[in-house]
Amino acid sequence: KYLNKIKEEDEACRAALQSGNIFLYHKLAPLLRRTDSGIYQLPALQTKEEILEKLGEDKEMVKESILINCTEQNEAQFSFDVGTRTSRHVIHYFMEHTELCRGTFVDLRKAFFLLRGSEAPLVARGQALLRWHQTNGFCSSTGQPTQRNQSGSQRVCHSSGITYYPKMSPVVIVLVSDGKRCLLGRQSTFPRGMYSALAGFCDIGETMEEALRREIAEEVGLEVESIQYSGSQHWPFPQSSFMVACHATVNPNETHVSVDKVELEDARWFSLEEVQEALTIKAPPRNNKGEPTVFWVPPSYAIANRLIQEWANLQHLKSYLN
Ligand SMILES: NC(=O)C1=CN([C@@H]2O[C@H](COP(=O)(O)OP(=O)(O)OC[C@H]3O[C@@H](n4cnc5c(N)ncnc54)[C@H](O)[C@@H]3O)[C@@H](O)[C@H]2O)C=CC1
Ligand SMILES: [Mg+2]
């Protein structure tokens, strides 16, 4: 309820910013802090904190922070990008003096690896909102500048009256099984050796089930028999996707895979043993060019990993019951 109030009411949001927590980014790379015990955290700065005082004449720009969420104690959480409009000397200051807040700006993919628990989705959400504001400054109907509300939950073109809201693209991600094996594929842009569940963007007007059946037919030429919903995830790469994750089965007598080579470099069936081995790999061994040398699957922060883990667990349960 409080979150909704500060999202909608500019005055309440300005007040919340005074005592709220701010997470810093530099050109969309979040600031992480390494604790003495070697754990990485997302430092929550306060408006009055020394590092923000250093914004000097740009200090007013902290008001451009975007509301991300609020804690259970009703502390508002904001994201602020020091690398976009702040003047050059301030950016210099941040890049030179990040040790002041004992942190460094790191690429979001790396941050996903380093952070634990709820901080990874929070940092992704903060970045997604900053990115949306940075790329939606103009109305696509009139070409006029759009104005944000204080929280950043929307932008309005006062000339056309159009209100724009932060956007996500729905994607269906599916782990196909024939009862004994599961189907994984890789795009040529994936790191070497990494295979994942098949995914695809939903077309406008499609249901999730229709998108799933179409994607599996297009990418590997298989006909899905049954679908089971597993979970969902906001995915910030390369832009905000809303990942809907499902398990699906195919007829065990109709498992011939015909790979669409435009979309995928390879797709094939994997046994439980192969999958189990891959799930134990935290960091794949690499050759002297730095390329992974074994079959591995996406890390635990990706919903693909959860699908694969669930499938392996189910196979275990089935073999136990037999
Ligand atoms: N979180 C996870 O575990 C995983 C996430 N993913 C994500 O799923 C997404 C979709 O997977 P793909 O196989 O690449 O999709 P895809 O099979 O639909 O193919 C991508 C193509 O779809 C078209 N397209 C249609 N609508 C689009 C839109 N709104 N945005 C961008 N392209 C659009 C483009 O031509 C693009 O080249 C990717 O962004 C990928 O990062 C993929 C695998 C695992
Ligand atoms: Mg795809």
Side-chain angles (χ1 to χ4, degrees), residues 134-152:
Q134 287 169 19
T135 51
N136 285 273
F138 295 89
C139 174
S140 49
S141 173
T142 62
Q144 295 295 314
T146 54
Q147 262 83 45
R148 55 171 280 190
N149 61 349
Q150 182 58 45
S151 68

Side-chain angles (χ1 to χ4, degrees), residues 169 173 187 199-201 215 219 233 235 237-238 243 263 302-304:
S169 301
I173 177 159
Q187 297 179 9
F201 290 96
E215 281 291 334
E219 294 193 355
Q233 173 183 51
W235 190 243
F237 314 109
M243 309 290 303
E263 291 283 327
I303 205 159

Side-chain angles (χ1 to χ4, degrees), residues 18 98 133 139 146-147 154 178 192 224 243 245 273 281 296 303 318:
Q18 291 304 312
T98 39
H133 280 279
C139 174
T146 54
Q147 262 83 45
Q154 52 176 256
D178 70 351
R192 197 164 161 179
V224 164
M243 309 290 303
E273 291 69 36
I281 298 171
W296 57 296
I303 205 159
K318 276 187 350 199

Side-chain angles (χ1 to χ4, degrees), residues 11 20 48 75-76 89 156 173 182 190 205 211-212 227 235 246 251 260 291 295 311:
E11 229 15 82
K48 294 177 197 70
E75 285 166 333
H89 76 271
V156 179
I173 177 159
C182 72
F190 283 7
L212 188 157
I227 299 172
W235 190 243
C246 295
N251 183 332
D260 174 358
E291 298 162 332
F295 156 56
W311 179 82

Side-chain angles (χ1 to χ4, degrees), residues 180-181 270-277 311-312 315-316:
K180 284 208 164 64
R181 303 168 298 169
F270 288 84
S271 69
L272 176 60
E273 291 69 36
E274 287 175 294
V275 164
Q276 263 180 315
E277 176 78 34
W311 179 82
Q315 301 313 302
H316 276 299

